[in-house]
């Protein structure tokens, strides 16, 4: 009796020790080959499921090597405990065939709390897919995103690289309290609809120390986003950092609380912009602040565009945007503009912008001190502090045509 009790106790203690030491799960022990040929998706998902069900915090390791991931990875929670995926030194590759990945995403995280994703290169191999993209004509693009983070909360995404995504690189939907840091995004300037990071209906997302070189917006922020802090981003090539477009659909949720700070933009088509569609249903975008941004040869460095219409058929003059823009500041925005109009504040005729502040602006055009650049305004009277070069709202408004062909970014 005594012997069996102590054996039982021994086993029980042993079990406890085993539990607290729940070691990392190497995807190779689940059948991943890492030979750059075999599809390792199933093995990675098996490792995730086991880690997610683990009674202790658990790590999935994707060791150095090249992994073909030829079908979508769906990594869902809720997990029993914090979970980590470490792909340091590994490269994951999507099939280059544009139809190789069915569905909206290649690597998809869903409903997970306290997740850490670190290291690794995620290569969407989009070169063939970009040639098939006809969103400029149809306004639609069915290619998969490299990453989807849906309902990812209190999590960290750090030190990863997203390359040559077929469509957007990263989409954040319904995320909360999540931090993205030291992430690198790379695709050629001419790759279509390869937005770096798109954020929608997300409350609480911090993005810092990232480098984004891509063919569309570096960061775009859709409706229903609040408490978004974006700091120390290097953007370019790309289309810049953008809030919107807003007001395309009925019942969009407001934007409230976007803080963009300490960024550098190089050679981007646009700088910092807020865009809303003419003839839109009512909406609201407030409390948006841009601070300390260096511009190098950037088109429209400061732009509020409530006449955003990349397609034909909008009539902003007779049918203006109903999205209310208020409480916006641009402070410490310096450098060079590649367009004569360095500041454009084109607000809605029906609902003029309110509380727009410009402070310490110094933007040159063609290297000319002040005189070269101009500033144009409609339906707004900005408050100014410090030096504003070019002088705020001094020039008449010239007709302005947006480059066409942006795919719907709210999907
Ligand atoms: C995000 O950044 C803001 C401002 O720096 C900070 O107050 C907040 O705590 C940060 N959130 C997270 C989840 O780290
Ligand atoms: C205004 O624009 C909206 C959206 O484009 C459209 O549905 C509506 O018919 C337009 N109204 C007028 C009076 O042109």
């Amino acid at each position: 009796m005594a012997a069996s009790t102590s054996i039982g106790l021994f086993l029980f203690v042993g079990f406890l020790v085993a539990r607290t030491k729940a070691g990392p799960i190497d995807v190779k022990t689940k059948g991943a080959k890492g030979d750059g040929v075999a599809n390792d998706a199933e093995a990675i998902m098996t490792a995730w499921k086991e880690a997610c069900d683990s009674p202790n915090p658990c790590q999935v390791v994707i060791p150095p090597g090249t992994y073909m991931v030829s079908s979508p990875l769906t990594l869902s929670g809720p997990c029993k405990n914090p979970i980590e995926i470490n792909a340091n030194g590994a490269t994951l590759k999507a099939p280059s065939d544009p139809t190789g990945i069915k569905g909206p995403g290649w690597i998809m995280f869903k409903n997970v709390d306290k997740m850490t994703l670190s290291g690794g290169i995620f290569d969407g191999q989009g070169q063939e897919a970009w040639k098939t993209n006809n969103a400029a004509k149809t306004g639609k693009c069915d290619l998969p995103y490299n990453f989807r983070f849906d309902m990812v909360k209190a999590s960290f995404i750090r030190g990863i690289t997203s390359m040559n995504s077929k469509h957007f690189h990263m989409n954040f939907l319904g995320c909360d309290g999540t931090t993205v840091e030291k992430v690198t995004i790379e695709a050629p300037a001419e790759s279509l609809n390869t937005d770096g990071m798109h954020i929608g209906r997300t409350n609480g997302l911090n993005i810092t120390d990232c480098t984004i070189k891509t063919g569309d917006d570096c960061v775009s922020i859709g409706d229903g986003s609040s408490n978004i802090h974006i700091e120390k981003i290097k953007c370019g090539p790309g289309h810049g950092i953008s809030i919107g477009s807003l007001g395309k659909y009925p019942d969009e949720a407001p934007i409230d609380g976007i803080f963009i700070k300490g960024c550098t933009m190089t050679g981007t088509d646009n700088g910092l912009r807020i865009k809303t569609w003419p003839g839109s249903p009512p909406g609201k975008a407030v409390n948006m602040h841009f601070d300390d941004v260096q511009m190098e040869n950037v088109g429209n460095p400061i732009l509020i565009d409530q006449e955003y219409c990349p397609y034909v058929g909008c009539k902003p003059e007779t049918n203006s945007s109903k999205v209310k823009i208020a409480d916006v500041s641009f402070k410490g925005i310096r450098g060079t503009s590649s367009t004569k109009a360095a500041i454009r504040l084109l607000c809605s005729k029906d609902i003029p912008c309110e509380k727009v502040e410009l402070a310490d602006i110094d933007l040159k055009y063609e290297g000319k001190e002040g005189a070269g650049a101009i500033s144009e305004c409609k339906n707004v009277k900005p408050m100014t502090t410090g030096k504003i070069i070019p002088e705020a709202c001094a020039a008449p408004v010239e007709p302005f045509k947006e480059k066409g062909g942006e795919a719907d970014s709210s999907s």
Side-chain angles (χ1 to χ4, degrees):
M1 223 37 193
S4 78
T5 305
S6 64
I7 287 168
L9 187 65
F10 179 73
L11 287 176
F12 178 67
V13 171
F15 176 64
L16 278 185
V17 170
R19 270 174 53 129
T20 49
K21 279 193 182 162
I25 301 173
D26 183 331
V27 295
K28 288 202 166 159
T29 66
K30 304 295 160 196
K33 293 282 185 291
D35 61 2
V37 181
N39 181 7
D40 290 328
E42 213 46 57
I44 296 170
M45 287 196 284
T46 303
W48 167 274
K49 277 192 201 107
E50 195 173 312
C52 187
D53 287 339
S54 164
N56 292 292
C58 193
Q59 192 187 46
V60 172
V61 174
I62 306 178
T66 301
Y67 299 78
M68 267 315 287
V69 175
S70 317
S71 41
L73 277 187
T74 306
L75 307 170
S76 309
C79 295
K80 295 213 167 92
N81 281 288
I83 183 165
E84 183 171 352
I85 300 192
N86 183 338
N88 255 312
T91 298
L92 278 67
K93 290 192 171 188
S96 54
D97 178 355
T99 61
I101 295 291
K102 308 270 186 274
W106 177 40
I107 298 177
M108 297 179 285
F109 292 92
K110 282 189 183 153
N111 299 316
V112 52
D113 274 28
K114 302 197 183 93
M115 189 258 304
T116 303
L117 169 64
S118 60
I121 297 171
F122 299 82
D123 184 354
Q125 300 211 85
Q127 291 86 344
E128 285 306 312
W130 302 328
K131 295 179 200 160
T132 71
N133 181 340
N134 64 351
K137 288 204 189 90
T138 60
K140 257 187 81 179
C141 176
D142 293 326
L143 294 164
Y145 294 176
N146 255 12
F147 285 96
R148 282 184 178 265
F149 299 98
D150 293 354
M151 274 53 87
V152 171
K153 300 186 176 166
S155 293
F156 288 92
I157 295 152
R158 67 164 70 99
I160 69 170
T161 298
S162 173
M163 279 177 63
N164 297 332
S165 182
K166 291 182 174 70
H167 194 184
F168 291 11
H169 287 270
M170 296 185 177
N171 192 71
F172 298 89
L173 179 72
C175 295
D176 196 343
T178 287
T179 301
V180 179
E181 59 188 21
K182 298 191 170 67
V183 164
T184 302
I185 286 182
E186 274 188 49
E190 60 281 2
S191 59
L192 292 173
N193 305 125
T194 52
D195 293 55
M197 300 181 184
H198 180 72
I199 301 160
R201 279 161 257 150
T202 279
N203 170 36
L205 182 65
N206 287 9
I207 302 177
T208 57
D209 280 311
C210 297
T211 300
I212 306 177
K213 304 177 180 181
T214 196
D216 208 303
D217 290 335
C218 290
V219 180
S220 59
I221 302 169
D223 78 294
S225 296
S226 58
N227 194 19
I228 310 288
H229 295 262
I230 297 176
E231 288 186 23
K232 291 185 258 171
I233 304 295
K234 291 198 181 84
C235 164
H239 294 184
I241 296 179
S242 143
I243 299 176
S245 53
L246 302 171
K248 195 173 180 196
Y249 304 100
D251 304 318
E252 288 185 359
I255 296 262
D256 186 353
I258 311 288
F259 307 89
I260 294 172
K261 200 171 169 179
C263 299
T264 308
M265 316 191 75
T266 309
T268 50
D269 294 7
N270 292 285
L272 306 167
R273 67 177 162 163
I274 302 171
K275 52 184 181 177
T276 77
W277 289 76
S280 60
K284 195 172 93 166
V286 299
N287 191 17
M288 300 170 283
H289 305 281
F290 305 88
D291 193 0
D292 182 23
V293 178
Q294 190 67 35
M295 303 279 178
E296 224 171 282
N297 194 33
V298 166
N300 310 307
I302 295 178
L303 176 60
I304 295 179
D305 183 6
Q306 294 212 263
E307 302 176 356
Y308 177 75
C309 185
Y311 315 120
V312 286
C314 308
K315 295 192 185 74
E317 283 311 324
T318 51
N319 195 2
S320 67
S321 174
K322 305 283 185 295
V323 176
K324 170 99 197 162
I325 292 181
D327 195 6
V328 184
S329 65
F330 295 93
K331 295 183 178 173
I333 316 292
R334 304 185 176 90
T336 55
S337 175
S338 64
T339 53
K340 192 167 173 63
I343 303 176
R344 295 196 70 134
L345 307 175
L346 308 183
C347 294
S348 164
K349 194 170 125 222
D350 288 359
I351 307 185
C353 299
E354 274 175 18
K355 282 184 75 190
V356 175
E357 185 184 359
L358 298 171
D360 305 315
I361 310 284
D362 188 356
L363 293 165
K364 295 179 179 63
Y365 172 61
E366 288 183 338
K368 286 184 199 133
E369 194 62 48
I374 59 168
S375 133
E376 302 177 345
C377 306
K378 262 189 195 175
N379 309 309
V380 59
K381 291 197 182 71
M383 300 168 277
T384 60
T385 319
K387 257 196 186 152
I388 310 293
I389 304 170
E391 190 189 335
C393 304
V397 177
E398 303 279 328
F400 178 49
K401 262 271 135 298
E402 182 78 33
K403 272 191 201 169
E406 298 205 13
D408 186 345
S409 61
S410 62
S411 54

